[in-house]
Amino acid sequence: MTGLGHSETVRGPFAPASAAALRGALQAIGAGAYVVDEQGCIIAVNARAEHLLGRPAEELLGHDAHDLLHRDRHGQPLPRARCAMRQAFHEGRTAQADEDHFARADGSLLPISWLITPYDLGERAAGTLVVFHTPERPRTTRPRPESAGRPLSELERLALLAETTTQLTSTLDVDQALQRLVALVVPRLADWAVIDLITERDEVWRSAVVHADGDRLVHHEDLEGPMPPVPEESPMPLSRALRGVASTLAGPGTYRRTPDSGIAVEQRRLFDTTGMHSAAIAPLRSTREVLGALTLGRAENAVAFTPADLPLIEDIARRAGLALDNARLYQRQRKVAETMQNHLLPQMPGVPGLEMTVRYLPAPDASQVGGDWYDAFPLSDGSTALAVGDVVGHDLEAAAGMAQIRNMLRAYAWSQEEPPSRIVQRLDEAMQDITDVAMATMVFARIEPAADGHWRLSWTNAGHPPPLLVSRDGLTDYLTDGHGILLGTQAGVPRPDATALLPPGATLVLYTDGLIESPRHTLDEGLGRLRQHAAALAHRPLASFTDQLLRRVRPVGNDDDVALLALRAPGRKAEDGVRGHGR
C-alpha cells in the first residue's frame, strides 16, 4: 500500500492514533473518499478523491463539502433543500444515489455515484463518510436507505471495510474490539454473529453469540463458554477455520451427520438453538497465528450466503484478526509491565505502633511502567523513613530512573544520620553524574515516637504535592512547609526542613500528582477534592480509607499513574474504648 503523501493531513478533534487509523482507512478505499465533521466540513480525504476532483488536499480540508463540491446537472450550486446527500447527512443515516455531480477544480462537472454513512471518529466525535466514484451508466438518483435484506453495493462494501479498519484499530481492548466487530456486521450482513477465540493455552472459547432483535443486539451467554479442542484432521467448516485453512459456507445439514468431534456437537447445538439456515465461517488470523473464527448466520433473513459473499467476510475477518492480535499484544505487554512495576516497588516494613498502607495504580492508557513510586524503610537511629516521588515519564527509562533514585536515597538515608533536607540535597548533587534522570519530584520524611502518644514527622519537599494530615475527627491540614525546588536543578540552594506532630489516630497521606491533577480541573480543585474525601473517610480502617480515597478522588479519565502511601498513628486506648462503645 502506498503512503498518503500530502494527503495525510487530517484536521479535527482526533488523537494521533485515531488520525492515523482514519488516514489508513480512507487510503484503503478504492474509490474517492472523504470524511466530514458534524458541521459538514472536510477533515480527511484520500488520494483517489484528490485525483477525481483535481484538487489537492489543501484545497479540500476545512471547507464545507456541500458548498465546495455539490452541483446540479447544469453546473450551478445545488440548493441545500434539494441535496439528497445533505439531507441524509443531517438525518444521520446511510443513503446512496447513482447519478449526481461534483465540481472539479477546473470548473468541469464530475458525474458521480455516491454513498454516505455515519462514521464514528472516537474520542466522543461523530463524523460522516462519503464514498464516490464515476458511474459506468446513469441510473436512478433516488437515495436508497441501508437495508439488511439486500446485497451490499460496491460502495457500501468499501464503506464497511473502511469503517471496520477505523473501528477495530482505534481500540487496544480485546473485549471492546469484539463488541465493535459484532456491531459492524449485525444486522448489516447477518442476523447472528458468533466469535470463537483460541486462547494462549490453545483452548477454544466461544466468546460471543449475538443476535439482532430489531435495533437491539442480544448476547446469548448460554451458548458462550469453553469449547472442545480443535481436531487436527476434521473437514468440518468451523474446525477448518480454527486451523486457519479456509472460509466455508455451512447450514443445518452440515452438522446433522454423525459428529466427528466435540466441536461438531457444539455446532449442531448452535444451529438448532439459533435457527440459522445459512452461515459463513471465516478464520480470524494475524500475520503470526490463527486467533479464532468468525461465524455470520442468517435466520430471519431468508437470503442464504453464497460463495460471492465470502471475499467480503474474509476481508472483515482479516482486519479483525490483525486488530485482535494488536490488542492481545498490548494487554500482554501491559501485564508484564505491571508485574515489573510491582516488583520494583518495595514491601512495607512493620513499624510497631503504626499502621501503613500503600497503593500503586498504573496509567490507564499506558502500556509501560511509570516513574511514580513510594518507599518506607527503617533507619539506623531507630526512626522510619517515608518517601513518595515521581520521575517524569511513562516508560522503562522512567522506571529505571525511579529505581536508581530510590536505591540511592536508601543508601544516603541509612549511612548519613542527617536531616531529610541534607539527604535530599546529597541525592540532588549526585543525580546528574550517577543516574539518567533529568527531573523528578519527591517528599522525603522520617517519623519517630514523641511524647504523650504523638509521633514526630520531619520532612523536606522537592517540588512535590504537599502531604495531607487528617485528624481522627476529620480536621485536615496540608503540610506546605519544607517546600523546595524539584530534583535535577542542581541549584545548590539549601533545602528547607519542616516538622509536625501527628496526634493519636491521625492519618498522613503521601501521594503523587496523578491522584489530584486533571486537564479539566485546576490543581486547587484537585487538592480540595482530596481534602474533602479524606475528611469524610477519616473514621474508616486504613485499608478501606486508602481504597475509597483512590476510587473517589482519582479524576475520571486520568492518564497518569498514582502512588499513594497512607500512615496512621495509634489512638489513645481510653479514647478508642469510648469511641468504640459509642458506635
Side-chain angles (χ1 to χ4, degrees), residues 229-243 245 260-261:
V230 181
E232 296 181 0
E233 301 294 337
S234 172
M236 304 301 281
L238 180 58
S239 299
R240 285 166 54 86
L242 289 171
R243 297 199 305 269
V245 176
D260 64 351
S261 65

Side-chain angles (χ1 to χ4, degrees), residues 295-368:
T295 299
L296 300 184
R298 289 176 176 171
E300 289 85 356
N301 186 345
V303 180
F305 285 108
T306 69
D309 295 313
L310 288 179
L312 174 62
I313 296 171
E314 288 173 344
D315 209 343
I316 292 172
R318 181 171 59 253
R319 296 169 192 233
L322 292 173
L324 287 172
D325 190 43
N326 286 337
R328 280 186 171 182
L329 289 173
Y330 171 86
Q331 292 185 350
R332 191 177 306 150
Q333 181 184 12
R334 181 174 179 81
K335 184 176 180 180
V336 170
E338 290 179 4
T339 301
M340 177 181 175
Q341 181 81 57
N342 289 333
H343 283 292
L344 286 173
L345 295 171
Q347 298 295 317
M348 291 297 96
V351 180
L354 286 178
E355 291 184 77
M356 197 181 306
T357 301
V358 292
R359 296 289 185 269
Y360 173 78
L361 294 179
D365 298 323
S367 62
Q368 298 177 311

